Structures are given as structure tokens and as C-alpha cells.
Amino acid sequence: MLSRFGALPTEARARDMKARDYLWCLAQELLDREEALEGLCPACRARALEERCPVCGRETGRDEGMANPAFDLARFEALKGGGAD
């Protein structure tokens, strides 16, 4: 968060920040991002949400969020009801 504002941890303004100040800054960053995405057309919004390499800009092939390759959907569906087999 400090790098976003160009502040060093040793500066008075950084030392004076409380946990709530960091939380507030983070919340504002998230709201600003949402607002920027809302201003885009659906195609550009989808492109903006794609995971991209920070160096070359190519797609990384990952979806937004985390996917667990070990997750067994069939087993989950079978156990979801809570009934014993």
C-alpha cells in the first residue's frame, strides 16, 4: 500500500498510519477499480478481468480467482446432501 503512495515505512506519514487506515485505503482502491470497470463496455470489461502477464501482457490462461485441480465435483455433489452412504 505504501508503494502506491510513494511512501517509505520510515516516513512519519507511514508510521502514523493505523491498521484501519490501511483497510480504508484498500477498500477505496477496490471501489475505484469497480467504478472503472463499470465504465467499460462488456467486451472491454471481460478483457480487463483476464489474467495477464505483467511483463508482456499475454493471457496467463488462468481464470479470475483460484481453481483447485484436486477438487472432485462428483464427490462433492454426492456428499452435499449430508446423508451417509
Side-chain angles (χ1 to χ4, degrees):
M1 183 58 60
L2 295 176
S3 64
R4 174 82 165 100
F5 296 106
L8 295 172
T10 55
E11 291 182 42
R13 63 182 174 146
R15 284 194 317 260
D16 293 340
M17 287 183 72
K18 309 256 186 290
R20 68 175 179 259
D21 298 325
Y22 286 103
L23 181 60
W24 185 86
C25 286
L26 180 59
Q28 294 304 312
E29 286 283 326
L30 292 172
L31 290 173
D32 289 347
R33 177 164 167 77
E34 273 185 31
E35 187 177 314
L37 289 173
E38 287 175 2
L40 300 175
C41 71
C44 290
R45 186 178 309 119
R47 184 167 160 84
L49 291 173
E50 292 172 352
E51 291 284 332
R52 299 203 168 264
C53 172
V55 176
C56 69
R58 283 190 239 155
E59 289 185 48
T60 60
R62 298 184 311 198
D63 292 331
E64 186 175 338
M66 302 261 316
N68 183 353
F71 181 73
D72 185 353
L73 182 59
R75 180 168 159 74
F76 172 78
E77 292 294 333
L79 296 174
K80 180 168 68 171
D85 290 329

